Amino acid sequence: MTADRPAPRTKERAIQRYEQYLHGLGREDIGTVCEVAGPGAKKAEDQGFGPCTTTYAIVFQMISPEQKNALRTATVDPQRVHVRTLDTIEMPLESVRSSATFSEEDLGSYVLEYLKDDYYITDGK
């Protein structure tokens, strides 16, 4: 979305943002990943983890080449997304559709919240 217009507060937009994150993970695109996951990464940093760029550089090493390739084209099944409210939307691991298999340890489930006019990952399990 443009900087002067808020993104729509919809399940579809939350899915679009999560797919941006997944594709960014697959491409090792630290800018995209830290932009979408910024609030959640900030919480982790406050708990003693390194800054987003440092933490995700490690995460990239933990994902296999096959998984990275699959993440570049991963999609989210809207039927498996849990809308608590339009401000808080859960993306369970089972909602990710890709050519590779992921476990909770590999990828996990995430919560996206509507903050500052768009959806951001605020929590992971």
Side-chain angles (χ1 to χ4, degrees), residues 11-85:
K11 175 179 170 179
E12 293 73 24
R13 176 59 183 166
I15 289 171
Q16 188 179 37
R17 286 286 280 178
Y18 189 51
E19 288 176 348
Q20 280 179 347
Y21 168 79
L22 295 172
H23 299 167
L25 267 183
R27 293 190 317 269
E28 293 192 26
D29 177 351
I30 200 84
T32 297
V33 168
C34 286
E35 197 270 324
V36 178
K42 181 72 179 103
K43 278 186 195 174
E45 189 176 345
D46 292 346
Q47 294 168 1
F49 289 88
C52 186
T53 52
T54 307
T55 303
Y56 273 99
I58 295 164
V59 170
F60 292 151
Q61 304 308 311
M62 297 164 57
I63 303 171
S64 75
E66 177 198 2
Q67 288 173 323
K68 283 180 193 159
N69 202 32
L71 284 169
R72 290 183 194 126
T73 56
T75 58
V76 173
D77 179 351
Q79 303 300 316
R80 295 181 177 264
V81 170
H82 303 294
V83 179
R84 292 187 200 161
T85 69

Side-chain angles (χ1 to χ4, degrees), residues 88-110:
T88 308
I89 298 181
E90 276 182 69
M91 303 288 172
L93 177 62
E94 307 80 61
S95 71
V96 177
R97 295 278 167 254
S98 80
S99 59
T101 304
F102 292 93
S103 68
E104 285 292 336
E105 289 77 33
D106 295 333
L107 188 60
S109 299
Y110 289 91

Side-chain angles (χ1 to χ4, degrees), residues 102-121:
F102 292 93
S103 68
E104 285 292 336
E105 289 77 33
D106 295 333
L107 188 60
S109 299
Y110 289 91
V111 174
L112 277 76
E113 288 184 64
Y114 195 88
L115 311 165
K116 298 181 272 179
D117 299 334
D118 209 344
Y119 286 96
Y120 296 88
I121 292 173

